[in-house]
Amino acid sequence: MRNKQALVFSFLGILWILYLGLRAFYVPFTFDESATFFHFVHTGDFWFFTSLPDAGNHFINTLLTYISYSLFGSSKFALRLPNLLSAIVFLYYLFRISLFLNNKSIRWIFILSLMFSHYFIEFLAVSRGYGLSMAFLFGAFYYLMKFSSDFSIKHLLFLSLFLLLALFSNFSILVLSMAIIVYLIILLIFNKKNSVKYGIYRLFVIILLQVLPLAFAAYYMFYLQGKGSLYYGNTDGFWVLTTMSLILFLTGTKMMVFQVAVFVYVLGMLCGTSLLIWREKPTVLLQPKLVFPVLLFSTIIGLLLLTALFSVNNPEDRVAMYLIPLFIGSISMITDTLVVSTGKKWLTLLLIPLLFLPVHFLSVINLHYVNGYITEVIPERFYETIANDNDNQGAYPATIGGYRMRMFCWTYMNFRNGGNQNLIDYKAYPDMQSDYQIVDVDEYPGWLINYDVIATEDIMGRKLLKRKQQIEYELVIKNTINPISEMNKEFYSLANWDADTLKGHSYLVGINMAIHSPEIPFHAWVVMQINDKNGKTLQYKNIPFDWLKTRWYKDGNRFKNSLLTGTLPPETGLIKVYIWNINKGIFTIEEGEIDLSRVKESRLE
C-alpha cells in the first residue's frame, strides 16, 4: 500500500517540481530578490559583520545564490536554482514525515494541504531564504521525530545539520530553534533507558552543533537590531499581526470564516492534547507525533515573551511562515493520535477544511507574480516598451519615476539588458517631470493630466505612463570631465556648481563619459548631492556602476545617464557631482562631459 502511495506522491511531485521550475523561469524578479542580488550576491560581500547590515541577507540563500551566479550567470532561473533544488528536499521529508501518520486519509490531507498551499510553496522558487529554511526545517522535524523514538546519534547529527542550515537561511526561526533545543534536552532528561554518559555525549553534540550556532545567531540579530535593520513586523498583538497576516498570506483574504476556523482549530488542538495527557500521562508529549504541537505552542509562547519583555517585533506573513507547517502538522498529528487512541475514525472529518488550500491553489496558479510581493510587480514588457520607444533615443536615456519598492525590480531588468536605461527615480515620488512613470494611478490621479497610459500590468492594474508632451531642456552649463588614469581615490569630483543663479528651477544633470575599471564588479557610485549654504544635504541621488554592468571594459563602455534635481529651493547653495569609489578600486576616465540643463516649465503645465 505504501508503495502505491509513494508512486502517486512521486507523480504529483514531478508535476509540482515542473510547476515551480516554470515559476522560477517566468515570474518577474521581486524587490527583495533584486536587493539581495545587488547588495550581496553581485558584490560577493555577504559575510557577517563585514557586509551591509540588513536582515534581507539570508546567509545560506545568499551563499548558494552566489555559487549559482558564479556558475550559471544572473538569469532569474540561475539565481533561483538553489531554492528550486531545495524543493526536492522539502518533498522528500514531507513524505517521510507523513508516514508517521497511521490514518491514510489524514496522511493525504497533511501532504496535500502543505504541498499545494500556493502562497507557502511559491517561496521554493524565489531567491530568498524562506523557502530554503522550510525545506531544511522539514529535514530537522523528521530527524527530531526519529531521535525522540530511538535517541540515535546519527539522527541527532542530521537534525543538527538541518537545523543549522534552516536557521542560517532565515534567522526568524530563532525562537523555534530554541524550542527544538529545549525539547531535545527534556527528551534526554526523561530518557531512563540509557546511562548518564550516553546522555552527556548527546548533550555535548547539542551544545556544540545547536546551542553555539543559536547563540551566534542571537548575537548577530542584536547586532542588526542595533543597526536599525530589524524593520519587519511590529509589536501589535500576536493575533492582530501574526495570525491575521498568516491567514491573508495563506488564503488571500481575512474573511471571518477563516479567522473562526483558526480559532476553532487552536482550541481543538488544546482540548485534544489535554485529552491525550488525561488518557495517558504528560510524557505522551514526548512521542514523535506530538513534536509538532509541542513546538508550535512553545514557539508562540516564546514569541509572546520576547514581545512582552524586550519589545521584539512580532513576525508577520512570510517572516512567520514557519508557523504554517507547525499548525497543519499539529492538527494532523493530534487528530491521528486521537483516532488511534479512541478508534473514532469520524474525527478525520475535522481535517476536511484543510483541503481548501489545494482547491485555492488551483484558483491562483500563475506564472506572473509572487503573492508576497504582488505590489511590486513590473512586467518585462514595461521595460521593453520604454527601451524601444522612438522618443527614448536622445542624448541621455529617458527619466523614469516610480515608487521605491519597484526600483530594484526595474534595476534588475535594466542590468540584464545591458544597463542602458536610467534607474527609477523614486526619491521625488510622486513627480511630474519624469518622461515615464510606473505607478498606481489611483494614488495620484493628477498624473493623467500630463501623461498618457501606454501599458497596463494585468495583476494589480499598475500603469506605465508617458508624458503627453516631451520635456524640453535649455543647456545652462557644459563641462569637460578631465581624463584620469588608474585612479583609486575614494572620491573624485566631476562638477561643482554654485546655485545662486539656479534657484527656483528644475534641472537635468547629464553625464556622458568613457570609463573603465579592472574591478569586477566596479563597486562605485556617481552621486549628485545638493547642499544648502551651510553644507547641509538637501538632496542625495546616486547611480551605482555595478547596478548597470558587471564589467566596465576599456573599449565601448560609456556611462551615459542623467538625474533630475527637482525644483531647487531658495536655500540651495551648491550642486556637487562626484564618483564615490566605495572599495577604492582602480578606474580610468578617458574623456567625458557633464552638463546641466534647465527644465522648461511651460512643458510641466
Side-chain angles (χ1 to χ4, degrees), residues 97-116:
I97 290 172
S98 75
L99 297 180
F100 281 90
L101 294 162
N102 298 93
N103 185 281
K104 185 171 70 173
S105 298
I106 295 176
R107 183 182 303 143
W108 277 105
I109 291 173
F110 170 74
I111 289 172
L112 295 175
S113 59
L114 283 169
M115 190 173 171
F116 293 102

Side-chain angles (χ1 to χ4, degrees), residues 562-595:
S562 57
L563 292 163
L564 285 165
T565 66
T567 302
L568 298 181
E571 63 270 27
T572 304
L574 182 68
I575 301 174
K576 300 194 299 183
V577 184
Y578 57 91
I579 292 175
W580 180 17
N581 185 12
I582 298 171
N583 286 351
K584 298 182 181 179
I586 295 172
F587 69 94
T588 296
I589 298 177
E590 295 186 348
E591 48 83 17
E593 293 179 332
I594 180 169
D595 53 64

Side-chain angles (χ1 to χ4, degrees), residues 346-365:
W346 63 266
L347 291 171
T348 304
L349 298 175
L350 298 175
L351 300 184
I352 295 297
L354 291 179
L355 293 177
F356 166 82
L357 294 173
V359 173
H360 178 257
F361 177 94
L362 296 175
S363 71
V364 297
I365 191 169

Side-chain angles (χ1 to χ4, degrees), residues 447-462:
W447 276 312
L448 296 181
I449 298 173
N450 293 316
Y451 290 86
D452 289 321
V453 177
I454 60 173
T456 300
E457 177 264 322
D458 299 327
I459 308 303
M460 299 295 291
R462 192 159 298 115

Side-chain angles (χ1 to χ4, degrees), residues 12-32:
L12 289 175
I14 291 171
L15 295 178
W16 186 80
I17 290 289
L18 287 174
Y19 172 63
L20 288 178
L22 290 172
R23 285 186 58 82
F25 187 84
Y26 284 109
V27 173
F29 229 43
T30 66
F31 179 95
D32 281 0

Side-chain angles (χ1 to χ4, degrees), residues 437-453:
Q437 303 276 358
I438 300 174
V439 293
D440 296 316
V441 173
D442 292 341
E443 293 179 3
Y444 189 66
W447 276 312
L448 296 181
I449 298 173
N450 293 316
Y451 290 86
D452 289 321
V453 177

